[in-house]
Amino acid sequence: MDGCDELRNVELSLRIYTHAACLAHDTGPGHPERPQRLGAVVEALRDGLPDLDWHEAPRATRGQLLRVHAAALLAAVLESGADAPIPLDPDTVLSPASPEAALRAAGAGIAAVDAVMNGQAGTAFCAVRPPGHHATGGEAMGFCLFNNIAVAAAHALDRHGLARVAIADFDVHHGNGTQAIFEHEPRVMYFSSHQYPLYPGTGARQERGIGNIVNAPLPPGAGSRTFREAWRERLLPELDAFAPQLLFVSAGFDAHWRDPLAQMQLDAEDFGWLTGELHALAARHAAGRIVSMLEGGYDLQALREGSLAHVRVLIDS
Ligand SMILES: [Zn+2]
């Protein structure tokens, strides 16, 4: 390694966590939450940002999962002994490779939290599947087995003793699971923009938890201007006032105009813009610490462009 590479590595304090097991989670033919999604993200990051610092995601432990999930859900996901795909709900399928994928996806967030809290990285992006933000404490749903971001946030509270962590969720669907897990937890604030009405049906403005939930429901067809206004005027001011010590991002790219499951009209620049706002906010309150996790996004080109725009901004410190 020459001096130039060393300098570059110091500047690039972003870590990417992923695992091959996340590609093996098989949802069956025709399912939108397919392995090619993660393949597209990994390929776009490798091609577009060749110097990234890749790390293999460890498995989450049982104790780490039990901070937010019921033992019955762990048993349903991990001890199914599935030979054939087993539906957990009409959209959420378990294959033989799914338990390992679920453990690695949740474990990525745990490792990312440890890395940014221990100063080994400034920011981290977890390129994983299955996604997580619909999974509640007791239920796998909406393509999600474990709630990866909630498991990571609970780890930040318990293991690192943080008093204020925030989760910003720009997936086009409302993160009902994340909201349900933390709606009585004063150390966590949850912020979401999402198309409404849309699956899963939650996310109305009046859902405030104990004052720690801030929802910005947006109409089908909403584009860049409406999305940015919602963040600028409603979500970011409250997020700034909360002054989180660590900022989590539920990064779904299904509000992109190309996405087949929703009708919002964003493009990659909008994801980059919001990431920049979040990055500046984290710099003010959280020493720049951000842990971002891939959630949804069902068009491969939108995933490529969106994840690249997002991660590009997370690198700049
Ligand atoms: Zn989504």
Side-chain angles (χ1 to χ4, degrees):
M1 176 185 294
D2 64 31
C4 187
D5 282 341
E6 273 174 37
L7 183 63
R8 188 176 295 162
N9 285 337
V10 170
E11 286 170 352
L12 292 182
S13 66
L14 166 84
R15 279 192 182 192
I16 307 284
Y17 285 91
T18 192
H19 198 281
C22 296
L23 291 164
H25 166 55
D26 180 7
T27 47
H31 198 290
E33 204 292 280
R34 58 206 194 278
Q36 289 83 352
R37 298 180 54 246
L38 179 56
V41 169
V42 168
E43 185 187 82
L45 297 181
R46 286 199 192 280
D47 288 353
L49 299 165
D51 291 330
L52 286 176
D53 183 17
W54 292 82
H55 291 256
E56 189 163 274
R59 294 188 187 104
T61 67
R62 189 176 167 78
Q64 288 163 349
L65 295 169
L66 285 170
R67 288 179 179 134
V68 303
H69 288 304
L73 178 60
L74 269 63
V77 172
L78 301 177
E79 294 160 27
S80 59
D83 294 325
I86 298 175
L88 293 178
D89 86 347
D91 305 317
T92 313
V93 183
L94 211 53
S95 69
S98 302
E100 180 71 5
L103 289 172
R104 298 288 181 174
I110 297 275
V113 166
D114 288 341
V116 301
M117 292 309 301
N118 296 337
Q120 296 160 308
T123 58
F125 178 68
C126 302
V128 292
R129 62 184 283 277
H133 72 157
H134 295 307
T136 65
E139 219 180 337
M141 61 180 279
F143 314 161
C144 303
L145 299 177
F146 297 136
N147 193 314
N148 306 318
I149 205 101
V151 169
H155 183 70
L157 300 179
D158 283 14
R159 173 68 183 81
H160 296 280
L162 298 186
R164 293 182 314 282
V165 306
I167 301 168
D169 184 337
F170 61 78
D171 188 281
V172 80
H173 302 94
H174 180 243
N176 62 297
T178 311
Q179 174 172 301
I181 287 167
F182 292 124
E183 62 191 346
H184 303 296
E185 171 52 76
R187 294 173 295 174
V188 179
M189 275 194 87
Y190 174 71
F191 301 83
S192 175
S193 64
H194 43 274
Q195 181 176 319
Y196 186 89
L198 186 67
Y199 182 90
T202 51
R205 281 176 80 102
Q206 58 268 32
E207 294 167 25
R208 292 299 317 256
I210 50 170
N212 65 332
I213 305 293
V214 188
N215 286 312
L218 305 175
S224 174
R225 202 175 122 220
T226 311
F227 172 79
R228 293 188 191 204
E229 262 175 23
W231 280 96
R232 206 184 281 128
E233 290 168 21
R234 176 166 173 77
L235 299 164
L236 290 170
E238 284 209 52
L239 181 46
D240 204 26
F242 182 59
Q245 297 161 300
L246 171 58
L247 178 58
F248 290 92
V249 182
S250 268
F253 300 99
D254 40 9
H256 193 283
W257 65 270
R258 295 180 63 102
D259 195 89
L261 299 192
Q263 291 78 45
M264 278 181 62
Q265 301 293 322
L266 303 189
D267 61 27
E269 280 182 27
D270 296 306
F271 300 123
W273 170 80
L274 178 58
T275 308
E277 296 292 313
L278 295 172
H279 197 289
L281 196 144
R284 284 198 290 281
H285 302 295
R289 292 185 290 254
I290 295 180
V291 170
S292 175
M293 303 195 77
L294 180 65
E295 297 280 1
Y298 303 97
D299 177 83
L300 300 184
Q301 184 59 25
L303 278 166
R304 285 187 201 101
E305 291 174 11
S307 59
L308 194 55
H310 179 60
V311 170
R312 223 187 264 286
V313 178
L314 287 181
I315 291 173
D316 295 330
S317 46

